[in-house]
Amino acid sequence: MIKNDLFLRALKGETVERPPVWMMRQAGRYLPDFMKIKEKYDFFTRCRTPELATEITVMPIRQVGTDAAILFSDILVVPQAMNIEVEMKPGVGPWLPNPIRSAQDVKDAVVPNVYEELGYVYNAIKMTKKELDNEVPLIGFAGSPWTIFCYCVQGQGSKNFDKAKQFCFSNPVAAHELLQKITDTTIAYLKGKVEVGVDAVQVFDSWGGMLSPEDYQHFSWKYIQQIIDALKDDIPVIAFGKGCWFALEQMSQSGVSALGVDWTCSPENARKFTNNSITLQGNFDPSRLLSPIPEIERMTIEMIDRFGKDKYIANLGHGILPNIPVDHAKAFVNAVKNYKAK
């Protein structure tokens, strides 16, 4: 049994003494010890070496004290497994030298044997579970099919993913074929994570908010729903769509255990859109961790008061930024851990 099961209890909607807390991207770039590892090993070497992935995953549990661990990895290991080349360029971020731009490119993408292509992730999960020794739950994750599609077609990060959207609107048959291949791969990948012991999974739809509400249904949500349907009976699923407040009501009826909320949606609106029916996670603006510590503490308590302590997981509204002082991250976590309901 997991010693600190607060996160899992909140996912079930149970009454808790305080909300659990973790931070998206907590295993990484703001931690000085992570930066030392980064100097020695390139990004995908860190992802593909179970010992390194384990060390990085456990680091914030030991140093910041969050209530759940999230495996150090990247959403772009999925297209790599699908025979789509992905590099991580310093100063640029994700870089795909041969982006998908035609129906033939889509045909060349494969639905892989995830156990062969992504075995290093499963080994990292086994090693991390052993290292955590049931101290806290371990979260596995994947990018949403639409978010991965955006990188595959655009070839790199973007402010508007215009090439990805153009491909959808000008070549919808090929676009849906690629989205389905990514979905099938993701389902197999996440099922493998469940088999080797993760305690919950999160689907990150980082670029869902780039689409109109109608296009979101068509090119993103229907594929996320397939993932939820395939996994929800085996494990708690969290869905996080950045900028997707317009879909929260439908998302809340999807079978997920929790929904992530970004900082552009107020706690009150998030509860209203979801009919107060589901556990919510979020929504502290990551940039606000640059505020003075007393202000971080005050805003964190206010955030919990507004969401309510039950059916709630304290988190950021997106990933932690690289320039956040560790003491500020700790202040956020400790404010949640010391929370007393009024």
Side-chain angles (χ1 to χ4, degrees):
M1 292 297 290
I2 290 171
K3 299 177 189 97
N4 176 355
D5 65 348
L6 199 55
F7 171 72
L8 298 176
R9 285 165 55 208
L11 284 174
K12 289 178 188 161
E14 292 179 11
T15 301
V16 290
E17 52 279 16
R18 66 160 175 92
V21 57
W22 68 281
M23 295 179 292
M24 290 184 273
R25 281 198 167 158
Q26 68 185 17
R29 53 206 182 155
Y30 68 106
L31 291 167
D33 287 347
F34 172 82
M35 299 312 287
K36 288 176 193 164
I37 295 172
K38 184 183 175 183
E39 283 167 20
K40 287 189 197 168
Y41 306 98
D42 72 66
F43 183 80
F44 283 115
T45 298
R46 280 173 266 147
C47 291
R48 291 186 188 125
T49 309
E51 292 80 3
L52 292 175
T54 296
E55 184 181 349
I56 296 165
T57 301
V58 174
M59 216 177 264
I61 308 305
R62 306 280 182 259
Q63 296 183 14
V64 186
T66 49
D67 292 309
I70 183 162
L71 187 76
F72 176 76
S73 186
D74 194 80
I75 64 170
L76 296 177
V77 301
V78 165
Q80 283 179 331
M82 296 175 67
N83 201 27
I84 300 166
E85 190 181 352
V86 182
E87 301 168 12
M88 199 61 76
K89 270 196 176 181
V92 177
W95 177 260
L96 288 78
N98 304 298
I100 287 180
R101 297 286 166 79
S102 69
Q104 186 56 50
D105 291 341
V106 172
K107 297 219 176 320
D108 292 341
V110 301
V111 175
N113 178 326
V114 291
Y115 301 98
E116 287 176 11
E117 298 298 327
L118 295 163
Y120 60 87
V121 178
Y122 303 134
N123 289 336
I125 290 168
K126 290 177 198 165
M127 203 172 279
T128 301
K129 287 290 287 185
K130 196 172 176 186
E131 185 66 27
L132 286 171
D133 193 26
N134 288 327
E135 195 178 324
V136 294
L138 178 63
I139 304 164
F141 71 90
S144 74
W146 162 252
T147 289
I148 289 172
F149 176 97
C150 280
Y151 287 109
C152 289
V153 178
Q154 194 80 22
Q156 63 186 111
S158 169
K159 284 192 168 66
N160 57 15
F161 287 100
D162 54 336
K163 293 183 178 75
K165 291 171 85 168
Q166 179 186 356
F167 191 72
C168 285
F169 305 149
S170 62
N171 203 341
V173 173
H176 284 296
E177 187 183 336
L178 180 56
L179 284 161
Q180 191 59 55
K181 282 185 171 184
I182 297 168
T183 303
D184 294 344
T185 304
T186 303
I187 288 170
Y189 176 50
L190 289 175
K191 284 194 162 190
K193 289 190 178 193
V194 175
E195 285 165 22
V196 291
V198 298
D199 301 291
V201 295
Q202 176 158 316
V203 179
F204 285 86
D205 196 9
S206 297
W207 306 128
M210 296 281 172
L211 294 165
S212 71
E214 293 77 17
D215 288 331
Y216 186 71
Q217 294 302 319
H218 201 50
F219 293 104
S220 185
W221 183 253
K222 75 176 192 180
Y223 295 102
I224 295 175
Q225 185 68 65
Q226 287 183 43
I227 296 168
I228 295 164
D229 289 343
L231 287 154
K232 66 182 182 183
D233 293 338
D234 301 322
I235 199 161
V237 180
I238 305 166
F240 170 63
K242 186 170 180 283
C244 301
W245 59 269
F246 54 79
L248 281 173
E249 182 173 13
Q250 183 183 10
M251 288 173 161
S252 71
Q253 297 161 5
S254 65
V256 291
S257 293
L259 291 174
V261 182
D262 69 43
W263 67 92
T264 64
C265 183
S266 70
E268 293 79 8
N269 277 338
R271 287 290 184 206
K272 185 170 81 175
F273 295 149
T274 57
N275 301 306
N276 201 23
S277 64
I278 195 166
T279 296
L280 296 176
Q281 175 179 278
N283 69 336
F284 203 84
D285 181 347
S287 300
R288 269 296 184 174
L289 291 179
L290 294 164
S291 301
I293 282 176
E295 198 159 327
I296 293 169
E297 292 168 342
R298 179 189 64 75
M299 292 178 73
T300 303
I301 289 161
E302 184 183 287
M303 176 177 73
I304 300 169
D305 285 340
R306 290 170 70 188
F307 274 106
K309 76 170 174 67
D310 294 324
K311 288 196 291 193
Y312 178 57
I313 297 161
N315 204 321
L316 307 177
H318 204 222
I320 191 166
L321 301 168
N323 57 337
I324 300 299
V326 177
D327 283 354
H328 289 221
K330 280 184 185 169
F332 172 74
V333 169
N334 288 334
V336 181
K337 291 171 95 166
N338 296 327
Y339 179 79
K340 300 279 188 290
K342 289 172 183 170

